[in-house]
Every structure is written in structure tokens, then in C-alpha cells.
Amino acid sequence: MGRRPFIAGNWKMNMTAASGAKLIGELKPLVKDANCDVALCVPAILIPEMVKAAAGSNIKIGAENVHWAPSGAYTGEISAEMLKEYGVEYVIIGHSERRQYFGETDESVNMRLHAALKAGLTPIVCVGEMLAEREAGKTDKVLDRQLTVGLGGVDDITKVVIAYEPVWAIGTGKTATDEQAQETIAHIRKKIGELFCPMCAQKVIIQYGGSMNAGNCKGLMAQPDIDGGLIGGASLKLDFATIVNYDKE
Ligand code: PGA
């Protein structure tokens, strides 16, 4: 199928210009022989410094959010063109923390996604169910809604990365089991096949996210439908390199 694995970090609201540049400097030699694509999504204000810190390496820099409009009266927001101007290549869209704390909806996810694609950024669209939804047997239904609305109107779905992040596994130390993650991601791929085309679904990169770390990454990455990881806590330290090198001894 030829899907190139993709490991991305999500720093969330962590790090400073100094500690971020130091970490990237230390990661560079450790990840240089990676057999996967590597990115770090960082707080917007750190982007220029982190792009400089990662220059000449295989670490690409991403943002954690993007606004849907090209410009205008949206105090506090950042457009896709602004990100692009500073060398950003990826952007996380619809992270569960944005859905939970900042009123993000499937509709706003879709608008942001179109803005990112138009500017030539690679979006990492996050989907995932809450614990109550999983326990009520509604996981597939929730994901189907997030995918149908969130990805609506996309011309080339292969330009979109999906991150499956069960909300109950984020920052909790509770990872989905390899089997749970595989089963749910296989469902996501099938749904993308129905919404777009089965052939394109086979090309879409789907990451797992939620307490993925140096200890559990090998098992997760061994699953046939898991193409990578979106790493929160473990991307703030050198463990990130261990995850990137999951396929080496
Ligand atoms: P975590 O976060 O790895 O700290 O669970 C993942 C994420 O929220 O992207």
C-alpha cells in the first residue's frame, strides 16, 4: 500500500523558545535516519524560532490550530497564509482539547480544513470518542459523524492526515490496546472509503494518539492500519526520538 509512516508531536501549551530550540537541537541527530516523516506541532508564537532550530533537518514544524478565513476581524486568530509564510508545513485541526474547551465543532473543523488545504498545509484532523460514548457503544457513530461533517467537500482526501485520538486516552496514561486502536482505525479507513473512494482510503495516513510513548509505540505501529502517532506528553522529551525510531533496535 506504500503508506509512509508519520510521527508527529503536539507540544500543546508547553515549552519556551529556549527549551524548545534545545530539545529540537538534541532530537535532530537522533531522528536523522528515521524511516518515517517527522513533525513537531508547536505553539504559534514559537513557530519562527522552531523553524530555525529545525532547519536542515528532517523535522518539519506544524501549528496546533488555524483560522478558516484568509484575513479579517478575528482577534487572536492566525490564518493559514500566516503559518505558511513562516515555514509551517502541517497543522492540527479539531484536537479534542479545542473541541472541549474552545467550542470547536465538526463544522468549524471543516472550515479550517479547507483553509489549510487551500494554503498548501497538510492538515492533521483529529477525531475520537469520549469515554461515555465508547461505553455506550457509540464509538463508530461518533466517528462517522466527525468524519462525514469534518471532511465534507474535500477534493483529494489523500492530502489529509487523520489522527484517531480516543479522548479517554489523551494525557491519562490509558492507551487504547493495540487491538482497540487497530479495530477503530480500520473502521475509520472503511468510512473514508465510503465517503470518498476505497482506493484513496488505502492511501490516507491515519495516526493513533493518546498516551502513546516509547514503551507502547512498537505494538501500536505493528498494527496494519496504524500509520503513525500524534504524541503529546512524550514529544516534550527525548522519548520522542525513541518513538520516531520505533522500527529500529
Ligand atoms: P498525549 O496527548 O500523548 O499526552 O496523551 C496526545 C494528544 O493529545 O495529541
Side-chain angles (χ1 to χ4, degrees):
M1 270 164 280
R3 293 193 300 268
R4 182 166 164 86
F6 175 34
I7 305 284
N10 172 14
W11 281 0
K12 309 193 179 185
M13 197 173 74
N14 293 296
M15 306 301 263
T16 62
S19 62
K22 181 169 178 278
L23 179 61
I24 289 179
E26 289 168 356
L27 286 170
K28 279 198 252 197
L30 301 176
V31 304
K32 70 175 188 353
D33 298 320
N35 295 316
C36 59
D37 289 334
V38 182
L40 285 170
C41 299
V42 307
I45 196 166
L46 300 185
I47 285 169
E49 287 297 323
M50 297 313 108
V51 167
K52 264 187 235 158
S57 80
N58 56 336
I59 302 175
K60 308 296 179 200
I61 298 300
E64 299 178 9
N65 190 22
V66 62
H67 196 262
W68 53 78
S71 64
Y74 299 103
T75 303
E77 294 295 314
I78 296 178
S79 75
E81 285 299 335
M82 293 172 185
L83 296 175
K84 199 66 187 164
E85 187 181 12
Y86 279 89
V88 166
E89 296 186 40
Y90 295 92
V91 60
I92 297 174
I93 296 177
H95 190 279
S96 66
E97 286 148 18
R98 296 221 54 92
R99 294 177 190 258
Q100 201 176 339
Y101 306 128
F102 302 101
E104 193 82 70
T105 62
D106 296 325
E107 287 77 15
S108 61
V109 164
N110 186 249
M111 289 162 74
R112 293 181 204 275
L113 171 62
H114 282 283
L117 287 170
K118 197 165 168 216
L121 297 168
T122 299
I124 303 174
V125 175
C126 300
V127 295
E129 80 289 0
M130 291 191 286
L131 184 58
E133 293 166 337
R134 175 161 283 265
E135 285 174 350
K138 291 190 183 147
T139 300
D140 289 356
K141 205 171 149 223
V142 169
L143 292 169
D144 289 356
R145 189 204 69 224
Q146 291 176 340
L147 294 166
T148 306
V149 181
L151 304 179
V154 169
D155 285 335
D156 184 357
I157 195 62
T158 65
K159 295 210 165 107
V160 178
V161 174
I162 307 289
Y164 166 58
E165 300 205 305
V167 181
W168 47 271
I170 296 178
T172 57
K174 266 196 194 175
T175 331
T177 63
D178 298 347
E179 294 73 24
Q180 272 173 331
Q182 163 57 30
E183 190 189 25
T184 313
I185 289 180
H187 173 80
I188 291 172
R189 197 176 300 287
K190 186 166 139 272
K191 185 69 191 175
I192 291 174
E194 285 165 23
L195 292 171
F196 297 91
C197 74
M199 283 273 280
C200 351
Q202 288 307 316
K203 293 189 188 149
V204 173
I205 301 296
I206 310 181
Q207 300 173 319
Y208 168 80
S211 299
M212 191 160 165
N213 58 39
N216 60 26
C217 60
K218 267 195 206 305
L220 287 160
M221 290 302 291
Q223 303 302 313
D225 279 292
I226 302 183
D227 306 320
L230 185 55
I231 321 295
S235 73
L236 300 170
K237 38 192 185 175
L238 295 179
D239 287 31
F240 185 66
T242 312
I243 301 174
V244 165
N245 293 314
Y246 70 90
D247 60 331
K248 307 195 176 84
E249 273 324 301

